[in-house]
Amino acid sequence: MLMENIFTQLPEIFSTTLWTILKIMAIVIPLMISVAYLTYFERRVIGFMQGRLGPNRVGYFGLLQPIADALKLMFKEIIHPTKSNNFLFLLAPVLTIAPAFAAWAVIPFDAELVLSDINAGLLYVLAMTSIAVYGVIIAGWASNSKYAFLGSLRSAAQIVSYEIAMGFTLVGVLMCANSLNLGEIVIGQSGGILQWYIWPLFPLFIIYFISAVAETNRAPFDVAEGESEIVAGFHVEYSGMAFAVFFLAEYANMILVSMLAALMFLGGWLSPFDFFPDGIVWLLLKVAFLLFFFLWFRATFPRYRYDQIMRLGWKIFIPITIFWIIFVGFMMQTPYREMFH
Amino acid sequence: MKVLIVAEIKNYTMNFGPQHPAAHGVLRLVLEMDGEVIQRVDPHIGLLHRATEKLAENRTYLQSVPYMDRLDYVSMMMNEHAYVMTIENLLQLKVPIRAQYIRVLFDEITRILNHLLWLGAHALDVGAMTVFLYAFREREDLFDCYEAVSGARMHAAYYRPGGVYRDLPSKMPQFQPSKKQSTSEINKLNKNRTGSLLDFIEDFSKRFPTYVDEYETLLTDNRIWKQRTVGIGVVDPDRAVALGMTGPMLRGSGVEWDLRKKQPYETYSDLDFKIPIGKEGDCYDRYLVRMEEMRESNKIIKQCIDWLRVNPGPVISNDNKVSPPSRSEMKEDMESMIHHFKLFTEGFHIPKGEAYAAVEHPKGEFGTYIISDGANKPYRLKIRAPGFPHLAAINEMTKGHMLSDLVAIIGTQDIVFGEIDR
């Protein structure tokens, strides 16, 4: 009641702004919480895979651990290296996290539930994820450290080359769905598990997922951070909240790319079988399932070398995606086009 | 003619370590890099220098034994072994056969201990985190063996000139229930600790091959692991010999050289085991050699257990000029009393002379060279650390490789700074 009163009394421009901000908060706050608990989940899952327990002391089953970590990081000093460029040094984390959150504007959580239902949704997401690379480059350059610089160069090269492979896989999805709107892409997959785009586009799905791991700089493609080589790569000089922001962005991106994979290949919020109702639960389950793979990879694989990553991206993934796009285009002209919608 | 210079491209130097996660302690490298490619590596050592050789000149022979543990602090008993063997050579001392078997048993336990740490650290350097934790799980059991026999988990001081400090215990120490762990959990943990130490080691040696299989599942056929190690840090056999490499570094290049076979000491000539050798001399071959060595060590352990079960006997020489008499003798016998007093005040004297003895250490040939002037402490003690020539070869091994390969090469060299800096 009170809310309605406020809205009616305010001039229209204020009320729409306020309403939009509330909607944004409704996305960002759950997102921040899921990022926090993704770190907890990661430490527990990898812990169990490695025959140990992971954090289990703060709160029940260690559930308050992410909160404790966040508090610790908040109260830590942000150290500026002496000869760093102060403005860029602080701008870099902002440039990393802003697109990671902004991309969520067009993600449909449900047939109705989407902040902004624009027609070029997919292009917008691609654009946003591409901007993230600037944050990394600027962080590496502004730190005035050789390790950070090497890390940012590696990261820039890697993100740019995998963006291409990723872009081509999305072209495959566009061809099937005939739309750039994420909601319509999902609706194009309705009719049970067999209608999902993962089946006709299976090679593209695999490549998309591997590229997504590379995009987010996660193991085994974590050369930009390369713990044992360049220590922490581009964010080696960051501490406290500035470091936490990079961390937040990395995990938000992980959730984002898993979300996109779920929307484009696994039918989004649609249930796999007709007798279950559709709903956001399915989307979250699919995302959690994909995120589990991120953690599993990290516990299993050694790290690629920088040039080997490049070779994999350019010489293997891009040719395969191009071939499959042509193949899909060809099949659409044949009587089998129903398989590709 | 004017030449337009767009940009001056030059190499840059980068400081690697000593506080670097892949520096294996306190390695400091000054790298000359051309982009990601390494042009020159200049290792700086000495950050862990503790003057062990000099310290030994001011202590009796027995007092230096614990210093040996701290040289290569991941293969403790093997260091002691080389040192006590040198003393035994100088004194022409006979070691009881049971003591020799115990030494071989613990040498091989130590070899596994060392190789497990190497495997974990190497895999972690290359980015595979899980192997590290798996390897440490098994190391815990081996540390329990150390603890049961000597009281210390790492720095055992168990080998003595003339034998070993005491016989293998007939009881394993057990976990006790606490607030955190219930009795049923404790019983589960104590399940293989109900018998003697030998039973415990036997149980371990039965489990161990499956553990090695686990590590190999994660690494051996893993494409990424192969891409990161095959063809990296290649040393051809002639260069390996010329550079003074020993141990798995030499055998990885295909040179079949192992002191346990070539100059058998203790009871190695009676034991059945093989010397795995590599072919290409790259990181992957050295990895395979070490993995196979762990399996061979396990076989040796089994043979030692079988022998030790049926052959009781003394474990230290009965020459009371070198080894202490038993407590009961000491209380009753005047001569024993004097021996005891002399041994624990001024120690034993070694006749004038010099000797070198080496063991096949997990990292290579570990030897000590002692010059005695007849006093109760060495005139000079020189330690031949296998890691030193290996580290010296790092420039040659890494030239033209990328930064990530440097880390893999440091891993494959199995560097421990305790022995390099001494």
Side-chain angles (χ1 to χ4, degrees):
Chain A
M1 284 305 273
L2 184 72
M3 289 286 273
E4 269 174 33
N5 283 341
I6 293 172
F7 279 117
T8 46
Q9 278 163 22
L10 283 171
E12 199 185 345
I13 180 125
F14 285 118
S15 67
T16 37
T17 313
L18 198 65
W19 189 232
T20 315
I21 290 175
L22 280 178
K23 282 202 278 190
I24 291 173
M25 296 310 267
I27 292 179
V28 169
I29 290 173
L31 180 62
M32 300 272 262
I33 293 170
S34 33
V35 165
Y37 279 90
L38 180 57
T39 62
Y40 167 78
F41 188 57
E42 169 170 39
R43 291 166 71 183
R44 287 292 272 191
V45 166
I46 293 184
F48 283 125
M49 284 179 181
Q50 295 172 339
R52 58 194 174 88
L53 291 173
N56 67 345
R57 281 286 168 269
V58 189
Y60 288 102
F61 306 106
L63 276 170
L64 293 180
Q65 185 71 44
I67 315 280
D69 287 342
L71 280 176
K72 183 200 78 173
L73 284 166
M74 263 179 234
F75 288 112
K76 279 202 154 186
E77 185 191 353
I78 300 177
I79 298 163
H80 302 263
T82 324
K83 284 184 180 166
S84 67
N85 183 324
N86 238 336
F87 173 67
L88 290 179
F89 189 74
L90 291 179
L91 181 70
V94 179
L95 269 185
T96 315
I97 193 132
F101 281 165
W104 286 85
V106 294
I107 300 288
F109 297 95
D110 202 336
E112 312 288 299
L113 212 60
V114 50
L115 180 66
S116 119
D117 193 12
I118 56 175
N119 278 331
L122 199 55
L123 279 185
Y124 171 80
V125 171
L126 271 182
M128 279 301 140
T129 48
S130 307
I131 289 178
V133 72
Y134 288 102
V136 174
I137 295 176
I138 292 174
W141 189 81
S143 305
N144 189 31
S145 152
K146 282 169 186 165
Y147 283 95
F149 189 58
L150 264 181
S152 69
L153 284 185
R154 285 175 170 198
S155 172
Q158 179 187 338
I159 293 181
V160 169
S161 22
Y162 277 81
E163 200 103 281
I164 299 172
M166 211 167 165
F168 275 126
T169 59
L170 302 188
V171 170
V173 177
L174 299 186
M175 289 166 73
C176 287
N178 277 323
S179 170
L180 275 168
N181 182 302
L182 284 166
E184 281 174 32
I185 290 175
V186 174
I187 290 163
Q189 304 175 63
S190 47
I193 190 167
L194 291 174
Q195 296 300 316
W196 294 357
Y197 290 151
I198 182 174
W199 306 120
L201 304 177
F202 191 72
L204 296 187
F205 171 71
I206 299 293
I207 290 176
Y208 172 83
F209 196 66
I210 296 173
S211 305
V213 178
E215 269 292 286
T216 46
N217 285 330
R218 295 282 304 176
F221 302 99
D222 55 343
V223 289
E225 284 157 47
E227 181 69 37
S228 56
E229 297 153 22
I230 49 173
V231 194
F234 62 92
H235 59 58
V236 68
E237 302 289 346
Y238 283 87
S239 58
M241 230 22 221
F243 164 76
V245 165
F246 277 116
F247 212 69
L248 223 79
E250 180 182 325
Y251 282 80
N253 272 327
M254 266 166 74
I255 303 178
L256 178 72
V257 290
S258 306
M259 187 68 99
L260 284 176
L263 288 170
M264 292 187 304
F265 295 99
L266 300 176
W269 63 82
L270 303 171
S271 86
F273 307 106
D274 287 338
F275 44 89
F276 290 122
D278 301 336
I280 190 170
V281 181
W282 290 111
L283 182 62
L284 298 181
L285 276 178
K286 288 164 189 171
V287 171
F289 177 72
L290 291 173
L291 283 173
F292 178 73
F293 278 88
F294 276 86
L295 313 184
W296 196 0
F297 290 158
R298 187 172 163 206
T300 312
F301 291 125
R303 184 182 304 116
Y304 265 111
R305 203 172 63 201
Y306 163 69
D307 60 323
Q308 290 163 348
I309 289 187
M310 290 294 148
R311 194 168 58 215
L312 186 71
W314 288 98
K315 293 194 178 164
I316 298 170
F317 284 175
I318 293 180
I320 292 178
T321 46
I322 292 176
F323 168 76
W324 201 258
I325 290 169
I326 294 170
F327 176 73
V328 169
F330 176 75
M331 289 305 276
M332 280 178 165
Q333 309 305 319
T334 64
Y336 300 105
R337 79 167 67 87
E338 269 311 299
M339 283 167 69
F340 298 90
H341 305 277
Chain B
M1 206 177 90
K2 259 190 177 175
V3 181
L4 183 70
I5 297 171
V6 181
E8 197 187 344
I9 297 169
K10 58 178 183 187
N11 293 346
Y12 63 100
T13 51
M14 197 162 105
N15 191 42
F16 184 99
Q19 286 136 331
H20 190 282
H24 286 218
V26 289
L27 172 62
R28 178 176 175 223
L29 299 170
V30 177
L31 309 174
E32 192 182 311
M33 314 254 298
D34 174 13
E36 281 253 350
V37 181
I38 292 166
Q39 302 298 325
R40 201 169 66 88
V41 178
D42 187 7
H44 288 210
I45 60 164
L47 291 150
L48 199 62
H49 180 58
R50 290 151 304 172
T52 308
E53 291 172 2
K54 191 71 191 168
L55 282 168
E57 289 172 18
N58 297 298
R59 272 153 185 77
T60 62
Y61 284 100
L62 193 59
Q63 281 173 336
S64 293
V65 172
Y67 279 128
M68 298 302 133
D69 287 321
R70 286 151 180 83
L71 285 170
D72 178 355
Y73 44 75
V74 284
S75 31
M76 295 68 70
M77 287 199 195
M78 300 285 263
N79 309 334
E80 294 169 22
H81 197 169
Y83 177 70
V84 297
M85 246 166 70
T86 319
I87 295 174
E88 282 153 13
N89 285 359
L90 278 165
L91 289 167
Q92 306 277 308
L93 198 64
K94 270 259 184 259
V95 180
I97 182 87
R98 186 172 167 84
Q100 292 187 19
Y101 267 100
I102 293 177
R103 281 182 182 181
V104 170
L105 173 70
F106 271 90
D107 276 5
E108 297 309 320
I109 284 178
T110 310
R111 194 180 310 280
I112 293 178
L113 206 56
N114 178 82
H115 281 359
L116 284 177
L117 182 105
W118 157 81
L119 174 70
H122 188 28
L124 193 64
D125 284 349
V126 179
M129 183 170 44
T130 305
V131 184
F132 180 79
L133 286 131
Y134 282 5
F136 268 62
R137 183 185 60 193
E138 274 71 80
R139 268 168 68 84
E140 209 53 44
D141 280 346
L142 295 174
F143 277 139
D144 287 345
C145 300
Y146 260 53
E147 193 179 354
V149 85
S150 73
R153 279 162 54 84
M154 292 186 80
H155 302 304
Y158 179 59
Y159 293 5
R160 297 294 152 89
V164 293
Y165 164 58
R166 63 168 187 168
D167 206 345
L168 303 174
S170 55
K171 230 172 74 193
M172 271 301 278
Q174 307 212 324
F175 290 101
Q176 301 297 327
S178 72
K179 251 192 238 167
K180 293 268 151 69
Q181 279 167 311
S182 64
T183 323
S184 62
E185 279 174 63
I186 292 298
N187 286 341
K188 219 183 278 169
L189 288 172
N190 281 335
K191 211 176 145 201
N192 52 11
R193 283 159 211 267
T194 45
S196 68
L197 172 65
L198 278 177
D199 294 332
F200 181 74
I201 301 176
E202 189 168 23
D203 176 63
F204 177 83
S205 68
K206 274 183 193 146
R207 284 180 286 139
F208 189 61
T210 54
Y211 293 148
V212 182
D213 291 342
E214 278 179 23
Y215 315 140
E216 294 220 57
T217 315
L218 275 171
L219 297 177
T220 305
D221 290 326
N222 186 321
R223 290 176 68 100
I224 306 179
W225 177 257
K226 275 185 156 175
Q227 286 186 26
R228 287 298 305 277
T229 51
V230 173
I232 305 297
V234 179
V235 188
D236 61 63
D238 297 338
R239 274 312 282 166
V241 174
L243 287 165
M245 288 183 175
T246 43
M249 292 290 290
L250 184 62
R251 291 194 286 274
S253 296
V255 182
E256 196 183 349
W257 178 262
D258 188 316
L259 293 180
R260 291 175 295 174
K261 283 272 194 222
K262 301 287 172 183
Q263 301 169 8
Y265 51 94
E266 310 298 8
T267 59
Y268 276 114
S269 46
D270 302 337
L271 295 166
D272 172 37
F273 64 100
K274 287 194 205 73
I275 304 299
I277 57 166
K279 213 166 139 190
E280 309 291 337
D282 56 7
C283 289
Y284 188 65
D285 276 17
R286 288 187 283 268
Y287 157 78
L288 292 178
V289 164
R290 286 187 172 113
M291 295 305 271
E292 207 48 45
E293 272 186 28
M294 285 203 268
R295 294 184 196 272
E296 292 299 321
S297 289
N298 198 39
K299 277 187 207 160
I300 300 177
I301 288 176
K302 277 186 182 153
Q303 294 169 42
C304 288
I305 293 170
D306 293 342
W307 192 93
L308 285 165
R309 275 193 195 286
V310 289
N311 292 289
V315 293
I316 192 157
S317 139
N318 55 5
D319 179 357
N320 288 347
K321 296 272 185 258
V322 181
S323 59
S326 77
R327 296 293 291 178
S328 52
E329 272 175 50
M330 192 257 289
K331 303 275 180 192
E332 311 211 326
D333 180 24
M334 189 62 199
E335 201 188 345
S336 298
M337 172 79 196
I338 295 168
H339 275 138
H340 183 270
F341 180 75
K342 291 281 270 183
L343 262 176
F344 287 102
T345 50
E346 64 170 274
F348 51 84
H349 291 254
I350 288 184
K352 208 168 171 176
E354 48 196 80
Y356 174 78
V359 293
E360 184 63 33
H361 191 270
K363 296 183 170 60
E365 177 181 335
F366 184 96
T368 54
Y369 179 66
I370 293 178
I371 302 177
S372 170
D373 56 359
N376 58 352
K377 34 196 171 190
Y379 174 76
R380 174 82 169 98
L381 167 70
K382 172 79 182 88
I383 296 157
R384 194 256 180 222
F388 192 82
H390 296 163
L391 182 63
I394 197 165
N395 185 33
E396 192 173 323
M397 286 174 78
T398 47
K399 194 164 276 177
H401 282 309
M402 299 182 92
L403 182 61
S404 317
D405 299 329
L406 168 71
V407 177
I409 289 167
I410 295 173
T412 197
Q413 287 193 339
D414 195 7
I415 286 170
V416 164
F417 266 79
E419 52 154 12
I420 290 173
D421 287 345
R422 304 196 271 283

